[in-house]
Amino acid sequence: MGLRASAEQLHQGRLNVKPQKGKDKRLFVDLDICSSGQCEKCVIRCSYYYHQQGPGNNGIVSVAELATYAVICRKCEQPHCVASCPVDALEQQKDKDKLLIRHNMRCISCKSCSNACPYGTIYPENVPLLIHNCDFCLDRRSHIFEPLCVKSCPYGALQLKEADADLGENTFLVGDNIIVHSAHWEREKA
């Protein structure tokens, strides 16, 4: 397994779309909890030094965006979100099962994609102008109290889970570093 961080995965279209189970621990994100409205804004703390410098400065937003594109997005044949972007920042990768990527150096955070999505799957808060990417604490996992986001989430939306365990219903491997739980739409059941 390579050490690919979400910045590379999300903004350069390098997400592994065929993740494999493994004995390694991965960041588990429960998107159902994150989108339930239990918390008005994400209050977690981040282990990365530069993310500790201000409130709301954490990498989980990038993880939620990546997970949403991989699991919740309906991968439309003619995506309104892509067509609505005035600066061509959103792209649907035809060679990667229609996975969306947002080119953060182009994105102006106008939220046109959020407004254009007929299914409401692109949350405006997940399309910020300034990107704070999560590196999954891959090089800090041996440190005590890491990752801090897992320990500081008051709702238990974040955990570290082994990727070879039974994932359960509505739980999916996303890329090489994330496990996502979300009740999502399935084309086959529509």
Side-chain angles (χ1 to χ4, degrees):
M1 180 180 74
L3 289 179
R4 285 185 257 156
S6 69
E8 183 180 29
Q9 294 171 338
L10 180 60
H11 302 295
Q12 296 180 13
R14 296 187 181 162
L15 179 73
N16 178 8
V17 293
K18 295 182 179 177
Q20 302 293 315
K21 286 188 169 190
K23 294 193 177 294
D24 57 312
K25 289 194 172 187
R26 300 180 190 180
L27 184 62
F28 170 85
V29 180
D30 191 324
L31 288 180
D32 290 350
I33 292 175
C34 290
S35 63
S36 69
Q38 292 182 41
C39 49
E40 291 182 24
K41 64 179 183 176
C42 189
V43 295
I44 65 154
R45 292 179 293 152
C46 183
S47 303
Y48 184 57
Y49 172 78
Y50 292 105
H51 287 173
Q52 298 172 3
Q53 304 308 308
N57 189 352
N58 64 61
I60 289 301
V61 172
S62 68
V63 174
E65 181 183 13
L66 178 67
T68 299
Y69 294 160
V71 175
I72 300 174
C73 174
R74 294 190 179 193
K75 301 175 178 25
C76 300
E77 291 297 323
Q78 296 180 352
H80 299 290
C81 57
V82 172
S84 71
C85 183
V87 292
D88 296 327
L90 204 58
E91 176 186 352
Q92 188 182 57
Q93 301 174 98
K94 302 292 183 193
D95 62 331
K96 291 200 170 186
D97 192 29
K98 300 178 184 174
L99 182 71
L100 291 176
I101 60 169
R102 183 168 58 98
H103 300 282
N104 67 324
M105 295 302 286
R106 297 182 200 160
C107 180
I108 56 175
S109 192
C110 67
K111 318 296 187 206
S112 295
C113 54
S114 298
N115 293 322
C117 177
Y119 306 106
T121 59
I122 302 177
Y123 294 125
E125 61 269 23
N126 288 348
V127 191
L129 179 61
L130 297 175
I131 306 297
H132 307 288
N133 285 301
C134 177
D135 65 358
F136 313 109
C137 289
L138 291 174
D139 61 343
R140 297 184 300 277
R141 291 275 177 88
S142 60
H143 298 179
I144 193 166
F145 304 123
E146 302 291 347
L148 191 55
C149 60
V150 171
K151 299 189 182 322
S152 63
C153 179
Y155 302 102
L158 305 173
Q159 301 172 28
L160 284 179
K161 286 192 171 186
E162 289 188 10
D164 66 345
D166 180 24
L167 297 178
E169 188 176 2
N170 294 323
T171 304
F172 311 91
L173 297 175
V174 174
D176 296 322
N177 302 306
I178 309 171
I179 301 172
V180 178
H181 175 265
S182 179
H184 77 293
W185 176 84
E186 293 180 47
R187 184 175 305 275
E188 296 79 24
K189 294 182 179 177

